[in-house]
Amino acid sequence: LFQLKQDHINSYLEFGCGTAPITTSLFDFYPPQKNLKIYIADIQTIIFHYANYKFRQCSNVIPILLVPENHFLLNMPENVDVIFCLEVFEHLNKPLETVTRFHQTLNPKGLLFFDYSKTTGLSMDCHHSARERNDVLDFICKNYDVLYGSIQKERDMSLTIVRKR
């Protein structure tokens, strides 16, 4: 598929993680080395508190709370090698600012795993996310190389993996 096994990954962020399913799967199926830094980030919800509790004894799992005072935007203490943002973009109030922060947060040649539903901004989806969707995808096309999947403005996007230029 792509040469992920050959890449050396020292850190990753699971953004909008909820119960942190990616980190949970990693620990369940392929326990990480203690030197792998894992950041989990989300808004203050009971499921995010559960994720924090679940990994409370893992010193390499670091929770990042997205707070309203900062418009729920990411504020990382350091850069990471990989960012997972799955089933999240359509719920963001500032998706373009978020993807810009992802770009700033990723190390050179870092990987971004994402998907992006094409919605009208109704229900739990955000109007800003629907309005800024094309701008977000244009930003990704300009700053990343697609390794898996494709950028599709006209319909829902499934898993897409891009590498920072």
Side-chain angles (χ1 to χ4, degrees):
L1 182 60
F2 62 96
Q3 309 272 323
L4 183 58
K5 289 184 179 180
Q6 293 179 4
D7 293 338
H8 191 64
I9 297 173
N10 294 312
S11 58
Y12 76 79
L13 164 66
E14 186 175 356
F15 182 83
C17 68
T19 60
I22 293 167
T23 302
T24 300
S25 296
L26 179 68
F27 275 84
D28 286 349
F29 299 110
Y30 188 75
Q33 299 292 322
K34 291 286 186 193
N35 61 349
L36 175 66
K37 274 194 176 172
I38 301 166
Y39 294 94
I40 57 174
D42 211 332
I43 60 174
Q44 187 171 350
T45 62
I46 191 70
I47 59 174
F48 184 56
H49 287 293
Y50 171 69
N52 291 333
Y53 176 79
K54 182 170 38 174
F55 295 108
R56 70 192 177 283
Q57 295 181 343
C58 303
S59 61
N60 60 328
V61 177
I62 302 142
I64 306 263
L65 184 61
L66 306 174
V67 295
E69 297 81 29
N70 194 28
H71 305 285
F72 302 106
L73 291 168
L74 182 63
N75 189 12
M76 288 288 291
E78 63 184 329
N79 286 0
V80 294
D81 298 313
V82 177
I83 296 175
F84 296 95
C85 182
L86 300 172
E87 298 185 25
V88 176
F89 268 117
E90 56 272 12
H91 306 295
L92 298 177
N93 63 334
K94 293 184 179 260
L96 185 56
E97 178 66 24
T98 298
V99 79
T100 301
R101 289 190 183 212
F102 285 172
H103 189 263
Q104 295 165 348
T105 300
L106 274 173
N107 286 323
K109 301 199 181 256
L111 300 174
L112 172 60
F113 289 64
F114 76 102
D115 57 10
Y116 205 155
S117 294
K118 185 170 176 72
T119 69
T120 58
L122 300 175
S123 185
M124 290 196 56
D125 298 336
C126 188
H127 290 290
H128 299 301
S129 180
R131 265 195 315 267
E132 293 182 11
R133 186 174 186 273
N134 286 346
D135 293 334
V136 168
L137 297 177
D138 287 342
F139 180 88
I140 290 171
C141 286
K142 181 179 176 185
N143 294 285
Y144 295 84
D145 295 317
V146 177
L147 301 178
Y148 177 81
S150 61
I151 306 295
Q152 300 177 9
K153 291 183 180 180
E154 65 282 350
R155 61 177 181 239
D156 287 346
M157 289 181 54
S158 57
L159 176 63
T160 304
I161 305 167
V162 293
R163 182 183 304 275
K164 181 179 175 179
R165 289 188 188 124

